[in-house]
C-alpha cells in the first residue's frame, strides 16, 4: 500500500521560506494571503497490506528519520 | 592524544580541521570514512563541516544514520569527547546528541563571513584556553545555522550552563546585526549536559593560523590537547 506523509513545521517555528512565498504572492496581487507555511510531502510505496501495521511502520519512519520532531509535525495517510 | 575526523560524502572541512587539530596535537588525526562501522579507540571525535549527503531531507539528517554514526553516538553517549562543527553540529543535533535543531537561516541566504562570538563558559575541555566573556572572531559559512529550541529547552540550557558561545558585536554586546542567521538567543554553540559534546556553527579550524588572517580558533584545539593529553 501507499503512504502519504505530510511534514510541517510546528506552530511557532520560524519558516522564512513560507514568509518569502507569502511576500511573492502579495507582489503578484494576491492580497488576501494571511500567511504561508511550507512543508514536505513524501510518498512511500510499502509491501505491507495491513493498514494498522503499515501505519506503525510509517510512524517509526517519521520518528526516526522523515521528521525532526523537535521542529516538525507529521501526518500520515494510507491508500491502497 | 589521538583523534578521529569523520568523513562523509560531501564533507568539505575535514582536511582543514585535520590540519588545525594536527598542528596542536603534533600528529595528524585519523580520517574515518562514514561507511566504516569500526571506529578506532580515540580521545576525541570530530564531525567536520560540509554538506554531508547534500543536506537531503534536512541538513545532517541522512548523515546522522550512516554506519559510523551508530558508533559515534554510542561513544559520545558513553562520555567520549565530540567536537561537531557547522554541518557536524547539524549531524549531532539530528543524532540527538545535542538539544535543539538547526533551521534554514532567517534571511534565507547562505551566510559566509567572519562573526564575533562570546565565550559563555570556560574551563571545559573545549574552552580551557579561553576566558569566560572573551570575544573571538571566527568565520561562518552555512545555510542552516538558525538554532531553534523551545522555551523549556532554552531555560534548561541556561540553567545547566550549556550555552557555549553567543554571536555578539566586536565589543561583546548582542544585537546590531551580530547574529548572522536568526538563532534563538544569539546562540552560536551548545554543549550536551555533560559538557563532553560541543556543537558550533562557526569554524575554529578556518582561523587557527596567523597566516590565514587570524588564530582565534587555535585555542580550542590547544584546549582539547591540554585537557585530553
Amino acid at each position: 500500500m501507499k503512504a502519504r506523509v505530510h511534514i510541517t513545521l510546528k506552530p511557532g517555528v520560524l519558516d522564512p521560506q513560507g514568509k518569502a512565498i507569502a511576500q511573492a504572492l502579495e507582489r503578484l496581487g494576491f492580497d488576501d494571503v494571511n500567511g504561508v507555511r511550507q512543508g514536505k510531502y513524501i510518498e512511500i510505496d510499502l509491501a505491507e497490506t495491513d493498514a494498522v501495521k503499515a501505519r506503525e511502520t510509517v510512524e517509526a519512519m517519521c520518528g526516526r528519520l522523515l521528521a525532526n520532531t523537535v521542529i516538525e509535525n507529521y501526518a500520515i495517510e494510507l491508500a491502497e | 592524544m589521538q583523534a578521529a575526523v569523520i568523513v562523509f560524502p560531501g564533507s568539505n572541512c575535514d582536511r582543514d580541521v585535520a590540519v588545525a587539530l594536527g598542528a596542536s596535537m603534533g600528529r595528524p588525526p585519523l580520517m574515518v570514512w562514514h561507511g566504516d562501522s569500526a571506529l578506532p579507540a580515540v580521545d576525541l571525535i570530530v564531525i567536520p563541516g560540509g554538506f554531508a549527503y547534500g543536506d537531503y531531507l534536512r541538513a545532517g539528517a541522512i548523515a546522522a544514520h550512516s554506519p559510523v554514526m551508530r558508533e559515534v553516538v554510542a561513544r559520545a553517549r558513553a562520555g567520549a569527547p565530540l567536537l561537531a562543527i557547522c554541518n557536524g553540529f547539524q549531524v549531532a543535533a539530528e543524532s540527538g546528541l545535542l538539544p535543539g535543531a538547526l533551521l534554514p537561516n532567517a534571511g534565507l541566504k547562505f551566510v559566509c563571513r567572519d562573526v564575533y562570538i562570546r565565550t559563555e563558559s570556560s574551563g571545559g575541555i573545549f574552552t580551557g584556553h579561553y576566558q569566560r566573556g572573551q570575544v573571538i572572531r571566527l568565520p561562518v559559512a552555512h545555510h542552516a545555522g538558525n538554532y531553534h529550541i523551545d522555551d523549556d529547552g532554552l531555560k534548561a540550557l541556561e540553567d545547566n550552563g550549556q550555552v557555549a558561545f553567543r554571536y555578539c558585536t566586536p565589543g561583546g554586546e548582542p544585537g546590531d546585526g551580530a547574529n548572522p542567521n536568526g538563532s534563538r538567543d544569539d546562540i552560536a554553540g551548545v554543549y550536551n549536559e555533560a559538557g563532553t559534546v560541543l556543537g558550533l556553527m562557526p569554524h575554529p579550524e578556518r582561523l587557527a593560523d596567523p597566516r590565514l588572517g587570524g588564530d582565534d580558533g587555535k585555542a580550542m584545539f590547544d584546549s582539547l590537547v591540554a585537557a585530553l593529553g
Side-chain angles (χ1 to χ4, degrees), chain A residues 2 6-8 18-19 29 31 35 37 43-44 46-47 52 55 58 65 67-69 72 75:
Chain A
K2 289 226 167 32
H6 282 96
I7 297 162
T8 49
K19 267 191 189 166
D31 51 13
R37 303 282 283 173
E43 275 182 354
I44 305 168
L46 294 160
V52 175
R55 185 170 291 276
V58 179
L65 178 66
N68 179 343
T69 54
E72 294 169 327

Side-chain angles (χ1 to χ4, degrees), chain A residues 47-66:
Chain A
E48 182 62 67
T49 52
D50 181 296
V52 175
K53 285 184 189 158
R55 185 170 291 276
E56 271 175 23
T57 304
V58 179
E59 289 266 356
M61 291 175 181
C62 288
R64 292 187 62 193
L65 178 66
L66 301 182

Side-chain angles (χ1 to χ4, degrees), chain B residues 134-209:
Chain B
Q134 185 178 344
V135 175
I136 59 174
R137 178 173 62 95
L138 295 178
V140 289
H142 60 247
H143 188 259
N146 180 354
Y147 185 71
H148 175 86
I149 192 157
D150 62 19
D151 293 346
D152 292 345
L154 182 62
K155 186 172 182 309
L157 285 185
E158 296 278 8
D159 292 351
N160 301 334
Q162 287 175 253
V163 177
F165 298 101
R166 279 198 170 84
Y167 300 109
C168 64
T169 64
E173 302 300 320
D176 202 21
N179 182 336
N181 52 35
S183 282
R184 181 135 199 218
D185 226 30
D186 298 330
I187 289 173
V190 295
Y191 297 113
N192 66 343
E193 239 175 281
T196 52
V197 178
L198 168 63
L200 78 166
M201 290 313 296
H203 288 270
E205 78 282 10
R206 291 195 189 178
L207 273 185
D209 185 324

Side-chain angles (χ1 to χ4, degrees), chain B residues 6-218:
Chain B
I6 309 297
V7 185
F8 297 102
S11 294
N12 63 14
C13 300
D14 45 325
R15 281 173 285 180
D16 304 55
V17 80
V19 169
L21 186 55
S24 292
M25 290 199 315
R27 63 163 162 170
L30 306 170
M31 307 304 278
V32 178
W33 182 238
H34 76 109
D36 294 345
S37 48
L39 181 62
V42 288
D43 306 297
L44 171 73
I45 303 167
V46 180
I47 311 181
F51 298 85
Y53 296 90
D55 282 353
Y56 296 159
L57 191 62
R58 297 177 303 279
I62 308 287
H65 299 283
S66 68
V68 77
M69 280 306 294
R70 196 166 300 176
E71 188 60 24
V72 170
V73 170
R75 298 259 186 107
R77 287 204 192 287
L82 173 70
L83 172 60
I85 303 166
C86 194
N87 188 218
F89 186 8
Q90 297 160 343
V91 174
E94 282 283 343
S95 305
L97 291 173
L98 289 168
L102 293 142
L103 294 165
N105 295 342
L108 282 172
K109 288 200 172 81
F110 187 93
V111 179
C112 183
R113 64 174 167 94
D114 286 2
V115 298
Y116 292 90
I117 57 174
R118 196 176 60 222
T119 311
E120 298 292 288
S121 65
S122 71
I125 57 173
F126 300 97
T127 53
H129 287 209
Y130 295 115
Q131 302 296 315
R132 188 189 168 97
Q134 185 178 344
V135 175
I136 59 174
R137 178 173 62 95
L138 295 178
V140 289
H142 60 247
H143 188 259
N146 180 354
Y147 185 71
H148 175 86
I149 192 157
D150 62 19
D151 293 346
D152 292 345
L154 182 62
K155 186 172 182 309
L157 285 185
E158 296 278 8
D159 292 351
N160 301 334
Q162 287 175 253
V163 177
F165 298 101
R166 279 198 170 84
Y167 300 109
C168 64
T169 64
E173 302 300 320
D176 202 21
N179 182 336
N181 52 35
S183 282
R184 181 135 199 218
D185 226 30
D186 298 330
I187 289 173
V190 295
Y191 297 113
N192 66 343
E193 239 175 281
T196 52
V197 178
L198 168 63
L200 78 166
M201 290 313 296
H203 288 270
E205 78 282 10
R206 291 195 189 178
L207 273 185
D209 185 324
R211 289 172 294 183
L212 298 176
D215 63 353
D216 284 1
K218 185 173 186 296

